[in-house]
Amino acid sequence: MDTAVTSTPPPVKRWQLGGTRSGTRFSTWTPLNHRAGNLQLFEERTNLVLHWFDLWTDGQRKHLLHSLLTQCSRSQLKYCKDLLAEAVPVTRVDFTSVLPRFLSLYVMSFLSPRDLCSAAQVSWHWGVLAEQDCLWAGRCIRRGWFLPYTPGEKESGAWKNHYVSCVSTLDRLTPREAAERYGTLNQRSAGETEEEEERRKERRIRQTIRDKLQEEKKHSLRTRKAWGSYTKPQGARGAATQTGRPGSGTALGSWPSLSWPPSGSPSACLGLDRGRPTTAAQSLERVQASGPSSMGPLRPRERLSEARGALSSFTGRPLPPNVSVTPPPLVLLISSRIPAYELVLSGVKDGVVAVLYDHRGTLSALLTQVERTISGQRAQRLGLLAPGGTEEIHLLHGCGLSERTLLTPDHREFWEKLCGWLAPTEEGGGIDIFSPLAASASGLALMQTLSTLTGLEVLAPMGFATGSFQNILGEWSDGRVCTGLSEQRPASPALRFVCDGALLGWCRQAQWMEEALGQLRGSWGPQLQSVSLQARGRALGHFLWEKIRLEELCVSKDVNEALAEGLAALTRQEETRPLEFLAVFLTRWREEEEGGERRSGGERNKGAEDFSLAPLDLTAELPQMLFDWRGAAARELHHSECLYLGRLGAVLKVYQEPLTAALNSNRAILSYADIHVVLSPVAQLLELNRAFQEDLRARLQQWGAEQCVGDVLVKLCSKLRVYTNYLNNYTTALRTVDKCRETKPPFRAFLKRADRTLATHMLSLQELLLCPVWRIQEYVTLLQVLSSHTHSRHPDHTHLRSALDTLLGFREFIQKLKRNSERDERMEETEKMIQGCPSLSEGNRQLIITQDAALLMSPDEKIPDSLRVYEQVSDVGLFLFNDALVLTRRRVQHTPFSPAHRSAHTFLASVALASLAVREITHTRYVRHAFVLEGPCRSWVCATERGEEREHFLCALRSAVSAAPTGHP
């Protein structure tokens, strides 16, 4: 090439023109001495090749790639391999070539022998692994097939060959071949055929007895007298026997009257009158009171003979004398509103029929459920476990049982029918109510009215123990107590139904469970996670208690006191050797116990006030007196007051003192205003209750039959303004704590260190601030007990009644504050839930009920209602307030990868209740559970999923319309 290359090469176009003139092609010439031009020309040629590559077919591309790869060196091929492995990772690989050998063998050990043989045919490597002795030796040994020799060191597949040879030589017979060889292998014996025939006859006889019994029961129910019309005769037991069952209206010849033997009798048989013919009902109850289970141990021939004897009683012949009868069962009604009712169900005793009913149901549904559960049997006693207080039982939602509501037609019919299935009082029948009705005059009146209505004995707790359900373990209304050394208390009637261990554990923790459930019911959204953590922690505690079985640990009271004192003293000391300190403390405790100087421990720690130990010390100083009802209630009042003072003192000691000290040292965690708003009212309560506790302690030290404590309680009630100020400030204090915890990290860290420690009785600051509300309820319960056991001529009766009336009114004030708070919170949540909704928080508006429904539309309104067809337009939500009805368009949004869903509401319309009319639509083959809402401008046809929902909503709507004020929303 003649062209000389200069230091500055001409542009590419010039090279191209020059090259063309000289006959040299552009693609065969590269400026090797100029790096920038070389790179530019390389990029241009690369782009040109990629452009051609895009235009080629798949076959042409593969041919080019093959040509390029054959021209590459080893290093370049390795680079291509790494690049392909990164771009196209290997997803299917032989695990035996990747995993270690022992892991591959472990995976193959889960295969069956047939699968192992199939795996051995995959490849040579798989065949070697599938024939290893470690896979086949265990299968042979489990079946008793052992090798007759010892395999060599390099021998492989010995155990597999042995397994195959043993399986191939098995002597396996078909059922037909086995019958031909052994003769009687599949043939029934004559005895078995006879027993099978007897069983069939027995079933037919029992079915006949049941049919006769049902007919006679229907006849007796139609001819019996009304409940409550029975008056107990003045004669002896013989007169009662002549009249039959109280209130039944039937004679002995037509109604069964069984007399169960005492529990200590050696026989469970009945002594029956052989001279009198028996009825079908008597025959069945004497043969089998609880179904076929009572005849379990007998042979079929014996059961058949007894059934024949029962059937022969229809013709008037006497019943055999050796008929065994099981006692009637106990029935326990458990409301679904009870917290952790699963724990109660797990402890139900044998012979108890537990009926778990829905708290949102009706009386008729509950009666039907009980009737279906007992299946026509007559029960011995009835237990009722439902939420309630000293004056009322919350039997169902919106259906409370009290002295006022008992005599209404619905309640009267319910209890008459329910108690008609119980044994009379002479045979041990009765009703056990697990609410402390015997602690108040209204509760006692309710028990007396119920007893008069049903003719049965009604028992309930006295309400001595404070707490949610602690009174179940205390004294009951039939308690017979002997004073002195021979004092004996009968077992709680609740132990007839539930085992003592399960009942004790449930009663102790029911208050915490109830609070956790209340929080779970009322909380949603962001708060659900924190509430669920608390509930899980408490549930974990219940689980550990159940596994540890604390009720089986026999630890004396002195040991508990000593350990509690030692641990409390250890928390006040900065000890590097806590075990040695505790050992020295327990040694000194034993010496002081022996020397009668138990109070020296308090002098040793003078100045360090610890209210958690106050109940033990002060109770020990009280004189030991003979047991009496008023004294027990007064001592319980003093003991619980000491515990209450301990919690109030913990608020000041654990929270106020450190926060004030930090403020004074210019390292403020909270400002003075926040500390004053949150903690200053607690100091006022503590000062008031300290004076009350000292006065009460002085009265108990001089306790006697004529001692009075009512004036001390009246003095406390005269200063309830302190509690009124505290309750009015309570909501502000809680909001201040939440705001400071969110905005001030030092305060949040302080709460994490202080909350739920031994010094705070394992409670948080918010729970300690709630203690005064709990205490008012405890005051009411204990005062009701004191008042019920104080004679009207006692000098303390007037003061007790006055204090009780004041505290009852104050409790109503607390409940009103709680309802107002819940109403405001519910209105805020509803207003946030409905998009585009006008302001709902105005006046005294209250949300009554919400209901999900479907909005329907008919294509032709001229068609009669019985033939009209409806189609669903959309889902709607009905929000019923006390003055208006709000309709929303409801959209259901399901959560991905979860069965959960949530509803979103958009405002549709609102109608004043004063101008709203409701009309039900009769059920047809085209529509069910539908109704029409007619407003002044338009109407809406809605339908619910279930009939119960429609009835419940329409009942609430009609009540709200009748009581609605005039005006528009």
Side-chain angles (χ1 to χ4, degrees), residues 472-536:
I472 298 177
L473 302 174
E475 298 294 335
W476 284 56
S477 55
D478 67 333
R480 297 178 296 275
V481 180
C482 302
T483 59
L485 298 177
S486 62
E487 176 181 350
Q488 295 180 355
R489 299 183 182 181
S492 174
L495 298 180
R496 302 172 181 170
F497 302 89
V498 186
C499 299
D500 52 354
L503 184 63
L504 181 63
W506 177 78
C507 289
R508 285 178 176 175
Q509 304 298 334
Q511 182 176 1
W512 296 109
M513 299 181 204
E514 196 172 20
E515 293 173 6
L517 287 176
Q519 292 178 353
L520 286 174
R521 295 188 187 104
S523 301
W524 190 251
Q527 300 179 358
L528 185 59
Q529 184 177 3
S530 60
V531 174
S532 63
L533 289 176
Q534 296 178 10
R536 269 182 272 169

Side-chain angles (χ1 to χ4, degrees), residues 329-454:
L330 304 176
V331 178
L332 176 60
L333 300 182
I334 303 177
S335 172
S336 61
R337 194 71 176 180
I338 293 297
Y341 55 79
E342 296 87 355
L343 184 59
V344 182
L345 289 175
S346 65
V348 172
K349 293 184 176 180
D350 294 337
V352 177
V353 179
V355 180
L356 178 64
Y357 67 91
D358 190 358
H359 179 74
R360 301 166 298 177
T362 59
L363 290 175
S364 59
L366 176 57
L367 195 65
T368 304
Q369 185 179 359
V370 175
E371 182 180 9
R372 184 171 58 252
T373 303
I374 63 178
S375 301
Q377 302 182 61
R378 186 176 64 169
Q380 183 71 17
R381 297 188 68 87
L382 173 68
L384 177 59
L385 179 56
T390 57
E391 300 177 356
E392 184 180 9
I393 303 173
H394 305 297
L395 187 61
L396 295 170
H397 177 70
C399 181
L401 177 63
S402 61
E403 183 184 6
R404 183 183 68 260
T405 61
L406 177 60
L407 298 180
T408 57
D410 294 339
H411 279 277
R412 185 185 182 93
E413 181 182 4
F414 171 77
W415 286 104
E416 286 178 354
K417 292 183 178 180
L418 183 62
C419 295
W421 302 325
L422 300 180
T425 305
E426 293 79 5
E427 299 178 8
I431 305 173
D432 299 324
I433 301 176
F434 290 17
S435 297
L437 296 178
S440 65
S442 301
L444 289 174
L446 171 61
M447 295 170 57
Q448 182 64 29
T449 307
L450 184 60
S451 178
T452 304
L453 177 64
T454 60

Side-chain angles (χ1 to χ4, degrees), residues 552-626:
E552 297 179 359
L553 298 179
C554 299
V555 181
S556 63
K557 182 180 179 182
D558 296 337
V559 176
N560 290 332
E561 294 179 2
L563 289 176
E565 290 276 3
L567 293 175
L570 183 60
T571 56
R572 295 191 295 267
Q573 303 291 336
E574 296 182 357
E575 289 292 335
T576 58
R577 296 175 297 178
L579 295 180
E580 296 182 4
F581 173 81
L582 190 59
V584 173
F585 182 88
L586 293 177
T587 303
R588 292 181 180 177
W589 179 276
R590 181 180 58 82
E591 295 175 355
E592 294 170 0
E593 181 71 18
E594 294 176 355
E597 299 177 357
R598 296 183 59 179
R599 289 183 296 174
S600 61
E603 298 174 359
R604 183 170 60 252
N605 297 325
K606 184 178 296 184
E609 186 176 12
D610 186 38
F611 288 96
S612 62
L613 304 179
L616 299 175
D617 298 336
L618 295 177
T619 306
E621 295 177 1
L622 298 178
Q624 299 295 331
M625 306 186 63
L626 295 179

Side-chain angles (χ1 to χ4, degrees), residues 166-177:
C166 291
V167 170
S168 60
T169 57
L170 279 178
D171 185 12
R172 179 178 175 274
L173 298 178
T174 62
R176 184 178 299 275
E177 294 174 350

